[in-house]
Amino acid sequence: MMNFNQAHRIAYSGNDALLPKPIRSTASLGQSARAVCLTFDDGPDPVYTPAILDVLAAYNAKATFFVLGEAAETYPQLVERIVAEGHSIGNHTYSHPHPWFTSEEIAKEEVEKTSHIIHQITGIRPRWFRPPYGRLRIPMRRQAALNNMETVLWNHSIIDWGMLGNASGIRSRLSRIKAGDIVLMHDGQREHNRPDNLLRYLPGFLASLPGKELNTRSLDDLYGFL
Ligand SMILES: [Zn+2]
């Protein structure tokens, strides 16, 4: 079994060439053979985060929530609930700036402020970072490494937003989730996200997992932090 610390946790020395590679799937983890890693971005949201947490609890499913600092500050009780129900929490920046236009200074502010807010609410320093739009720009990756977080992307997007985020498209992409996938979904309503459509098919998808011998695991659980 791959040792997470050997594989990923390289102390950042200031050399960008040594920045750890982002995690895109968990297929390389021997222990994760039948695991899928569901991730929800852009929350917490006062309507959809509780609804999604209820569905996850009904199927005893575990996930990872990449929260926005701004929303976490507004809805701290939802951040507490995410952690209390056994899910992992990640940092998705404070206000979701586009990394392409983000200076060193803004990246530091956006990332550090969010980790601080999460720590204030939960007592946990987040270990996982996802840049807005999944864009890998050096200032954000560097700041994540400086704050001892792994950058986590995905290998399977449900595309629960915009024109493709209609209910039938979401259902079909949920049905194609396989072992080792890190799955991108959204509980937050920002921009064109459609957590309403996602919620229509999330229960059926979770109900289908035992038949496929798949189970859901949080990032903390998969990487041995629980
Ligand atoms: Zn986002």
Side-chain angles (χ1 to χ4, degrees):
M1 185 178 80
M2 183 191 288
N3 180 304
F4 177 77
N5 293 310
Q6 288 167 356
H8 291 283
R9 199 155 285 274
I10 303 157
Y12 177 58
S13 62
N15 180 347
D16 291 334
L18 297 180
L19 278 172
K21 286 196 175 14
I23 299 170
R24 295 173 193 269
S25 92
T26 67
S28 62
L29 291 174
Q31 61 181 345
S32 71
R34 302 307 301 166
V36 296
C37 188
L38 307 178
T39 67
F40 295 92
D41 288 11
D42 298 352
D45 177 276
V47 175
Y48 292 105
T49 306
I52 286 171
L53 286 169
D54 288 347
V55 171
L56 293 173
Y59 292 91
N60 197 25
K62 300 299 178 205
T64 302
F65 289 78
F66 285 93
V67 302
L68 294 173
E70 212 168 38
E73 219 168 34
T74 311
Y75 306 107
Q77 71 286 3
L78 291 176
V79 177
E80 284 174 2
R81 184 177 163 195
I82 288 168
V83 172
E85 296 186 2
H87 308 292
S88 296
I89 200 114
N91 177 330
H92 193 41
T93 73
Y94 186 76
S95 66
H96 214 274
H98 198 296
W100 196 263
F101 306 108
T102 303
S103 64
E104 289 292 327
E105 208 175 21
I106 292 173
K108 181 173 164 62
E109 163 90 11
E110 285 276 338
V111 174
E112 283 193 349
K113 194 172 173 183
T114 302
S115 283
H116 179 72
I117 291 164
I118 292 169
H119 183 243
Q120 290 290 109
I121 299 169
T122 65
I124 295 166
R125 294 210 178 273
R127 301 183 183 93
W128 315 107
F129 175 72
R130 178 170 287 165
Y133 310 99
R135 297 282 178 232
L136 289 174
R137 301 284 294 158
I138 291 289
M140 287 258 183
R141 289 181 61 199
R142 186 185 289 146
Q143 193 58 47
L146 285 168
N147 292 157
N148 297 313
M149 290 184 288
E150 299 297 327
T151 294
V152 180
L153 298 180
W154 58 86
N155 68 316
H156 187 80
S157 173
I158 296 305
I159 320 184
D160 52 348
W161 68 83
M163 299 223 318
L164 291 171
N166 57 63
S168 66
I170 288 174
R171 181 175 54 179
S172 129
R173 287 184 286 276
L174 282 170
S175 73
R176 293 201 294 271
I177 290 173
K178 61 186 189 311
D181 283 352
I182 296 180
V183 181
L184 173 66
M185 299 184 278
H186 295 83
D187 59 327
Q189 294 188 68
R190 68 184 311 284
E191 291 189 1
H192 308 294
N193 291 346
R194 295 301 304 267
D196 53 335
N197 283 342
L198 176 65
L199 261 171
R200 290 175 62 185
Y201 293 105
L202 192 60
F205 160 70
L206 293 174
S208 77
L209 291 179
K212 300 173 183 174
E213 294 180 2
L214 293 173
N215 56 81
T216 59
R217 306 271 296 273
S218 72
L219 282 171
D220 286 330
D221 181 21
L222 269 176
Y223 286 93
F225 288 114
L226 285 183

